[in-house]
Amino acid sequence: MSKKILAICDKENLFLSRLRDYLISRSTFPFEVNTYTDISILLNDLKKGYIELALIDDFFIDAINEIEKVNVIVLDSGRYKQDKYDSIWKYQSADVIRKEILRLYESNESENTGLLDKGHKNYKNCKVIGFY
C-alpha cells in the first residue's frame, strides 16, 4: 500500500527542504512529502485529487480559501486570523510540527471516518471482536 501524500507549500525554500528532510527521516511518519513554493502548482495538483493533506503557509491564505476537498492545515507565522482551518505555529521545532500534523490529521480523520477513540461519542458502545 502506498503512503498518503502530504503537500507542504511555503515561500521559504530552506524551511521547506529542512522540514521535508526531517519528516521523511522519521520511519513512522505515514506520509510521502511533496514540497511546493508556487501555490498555483499546488492548486493544480490538488485538483487531481491525490493529495491527502496540505500544510500551507499563511502567506497563501487567499488562495487556500478555494480548497474544499482536502484537509488543510495553515502554517501560521502571525498573519492567520481566521478559524476556517486548523493552524500550527510555523516557528517551532520540526518535531513539534510533526506531532501537531499527526494530531490534527488523526482528529480530522476520526470525525470524518468514524474511527473510534476514547473521546468518540460511540466508544462505550464499541466491542472488539478479535484481531487479525
Side-chain angles (χ1 to χ4, degrees):
M1 184 170 106
S2 64
K3 287 186 171 184
K4 296 177 180 181
I5 296 177
L6 166 67
I8 306 174
C9 186
D10 194 289
K11 60 184 177 156
E12 298 175 36
N13 206 11
L14 183 61
F15 174 83
L16 276 176
S17 63
R18 288 185 177 169
L19 181 58
R20 180 186 178 278
D21 290 347
Y22 178 80
L23 293 175
I24 63 174
S25 73
R26 301 291 166 230
S27 62
T28 58
F29 194 67
F31 294 99
E32 177 182 323
V33 180
N34 293 351
T35 58
Y36 300 83
T37 54
D38 186 347
I39 191 70
S40 62
I41 296 172
L42 172 62
L43 291 173
N44 188 33
D45 285 354
L46 285 169
K47 289 176 185 171
K48 294 177 184 173
Y50 62 84
I51 294 175
E52 179 71 20
L53 178 64
L55 184 63
I56 302 175
D57 186 356
D58 61 4
F59 179 79
F60 301 112
I61 195 69
D62 294 332
I64 68 171
N65 285 325
E66 62 189 63
I67 299 172
E68 295 296 329
K69 295 181 180 178
V70 71
N71 292 320
V72 173
I73 300 173
V74 176
L75 270 172
D76 186 6
S77 61
R79 292 183 285 256
Y80 186 64
K81 306 292 184 218
Q82 303 173 15
D83 289 330
K84 183 175 181 181
Y85 301 108
D86 292 318
S87 64
I88 297 174
W89 181 246
K90 180 178 177 178
Y91 301 110
Q92 58 187 335
S93 73
D95 192 54
V96 173
I97 292 174
R98 178 187 62 84
K99 288 176 184 175
E100 281 295 298
I101 290 169
L102 294 174
R103 184 186 66 78
L104 292 170
Y105 179 73
E106 191 248 293
S107 68
N108 287 340
E109 281 299 295
S110 293
E111 291 171 9
N112 294 338
T113 62
L115 297 176
L116 298 179
D117 61 340
K118 289 185 179 181
H120 194 277
K121 64 183 179 185
N122 292 326
Y123 178 74
K124 292 180 182 176
N125 298 328
C126 178
K127 294 180 183 178
V128 177
I129 303 295
F131 291 97
Y132 176 71

